[in-house]
Amino acid sequence: MAVLLVSPPSFSPAERFYIPCNEIPLNLCYIAAYLERAGIKTDILDLDVESDGFSFTEYLEVTRPSVVGFTSFSPFIERAA
């Protein structure tokens, strides 16, 4: 089993909310540490630091995780969904 934990981008010009995310997504790090201790391979994908040419779909096709989890601030919940 492989788990992918995703932090969506925190800024979009079309949205009026902006929450600066210059920090490591510690919430995902805590979950990843727990899962890895249980023997589950876990990756974290922080979309705030990916380049403009990054394709989430291509990433999923290459890594083929069993489970994908997302985190989000309340103003960005629709984009995360």
Side-chain angles (χ1 to χ4, degrees), residues 8-12 15-21 48 71-81:
S10 60
F11 177 73
S12 170
E15 294 177 351
R16 58 187 177 150
F17 294 105
Y18 173 66
I19 298 174
C21 291
D48 271 330
T71 187
S72 182
F73 290 109
S74 295
F76 306 127
I77 198 71
E78 288 180 12
R79 183 174 356 135

Side-chain angles (χ1 to χ4, degrees), residues 5-55:
L5 302 174
V6 181
S7 179
S10 60
F11 177 73
S12 170
E15 294 177 351
R16 58 187 177 150
F17 294 105
Y18 173 66
I19 298 174
C21 291
N22 298 332
E23 302 174 358
I24 296 170
L26 287 178
N27 54 344
L28 297 183
C29 293
Y30 294 138
I31 295 169
Y34 178 84
L35 292 172
E36 288 186 352
R37 283 189 199 142
I40 299 170
K41 180 185 179 314
T42 307
D43 291 319
I44 297 175
L45 180 60
D46 185 354
L47 294 176
D48 271 330
V49 297
E50 293 300 331
S51 64
D52 290 337
F54 178 80
S55 171

